[in-house]
Amino acid sequence: MSSYREAPTYEISFLYRKILVPVDGSEHSLRALDFATDLARHYGSKITVLYVRPKGYTPEKNPLDKAKSRMEGKGVAVEFKEVEADPWVESTAKAILDELSVGEYDMIVLGARGRTLSSELSIGSKALAIAINSPVTVVIVR
């Protein structure tokens, strides 16, 4: 066996400069944030944490607060963004897909399920809709 090791290449660091991570406060979305944080640490990516709030809804605890505390001391460039979506006009998935296009992201990392009560579903409808319609690389974290 040779001890020769090829020098690592960092092509991925140029492919995935901006990562979008939608959160809803669920453990699945926060695990997706952990995964994206690890990628960002290794490749110098910038993370945008997005919370899509239904119009007229005020959560008891803002999911961005959970995300902010999860990101403390991680040493990663991160931005927190909240947008409001009218559920009569557009779905949460559509609002996330719109942000993907407007923000010119390279990747989206999201949890397989959100705050759905049914544990029988392995992947939620929002994650599925985003995976099918996303113009960029999608990573679904279980």
Side-chain angles (χ1 to χ4, degrees):
M1 265 209 300
S2 171
S3 63
Y4 170 76
R5 235 179 174 187
E6 190 175 323
T9 63
Y10 296 101
E11 291 176 32
I12 196 168
S13 66
F14 296 106
L15 296 176
Y16 303 120
R17 300 301 303 162
K18 289 180 70 179
I19 301 172
L20 181 66
V21 183
V23 296
D24 61 3
S26 68
E27 188 56 34
H28 282 270
S29 70
L30 295 174
R31 277 199 307 260
L33 181 58
D34 292 340
F35 183 87
T37 301
D38 190 54
L39 282 176
R41 250 193 251 125
H42 283 85
Y43 299 111
S45 308
K46 179 184 177 193
I47 295 174
T48 299
V49 180
L50 175 69
Y51 171 53
V52 178
R53 182 177 48 80
K55 185 177 182 181
Y57 174 72
T58 305
E60 209 172 286
K61 179 151 172 80
N62 190 318
L64 289 179
D65 293 338
K66 282 185 176 182
K68 286 176 185 174
S69 66
R70 195 94 163 209
M71 293 300 294
E72 283 180 12
K74 299 286 182 169
V76 172
V78 63
E79 170 189 11
F80 298 92
K81 187 172 187 179
E82 182 174 327
V83 296
E84 184 179 70
D86 185 345
W88 294 103
V89 177
E90 68 178 340
S91 67
T92 301
K94 170 83 168 67
I96 292 168
L97 289 165
D98 288 346
E99 177 63 26
L100 273 175
S101 296
V102 171
E104 298 179 351
Y105 296 93
D106 303 307
M107 173 190 281
I108 182 168
V109 178
L110 65 157
R113 293 183 332 126
R115 301 177 57 89
T116 283
L117 296 176
S118 175
S119 60
E120 295 173 5
L121 298 175
S122 60
I123 186 166
S125 59
K126 290 177 186 80
L128 189 56
I130 291 166
I132 291 170
N133 295 293
S134 175
V136 299
T137 300
V138 178
V139 176
I140 299 176
V141 178
R142 293 188 189 261

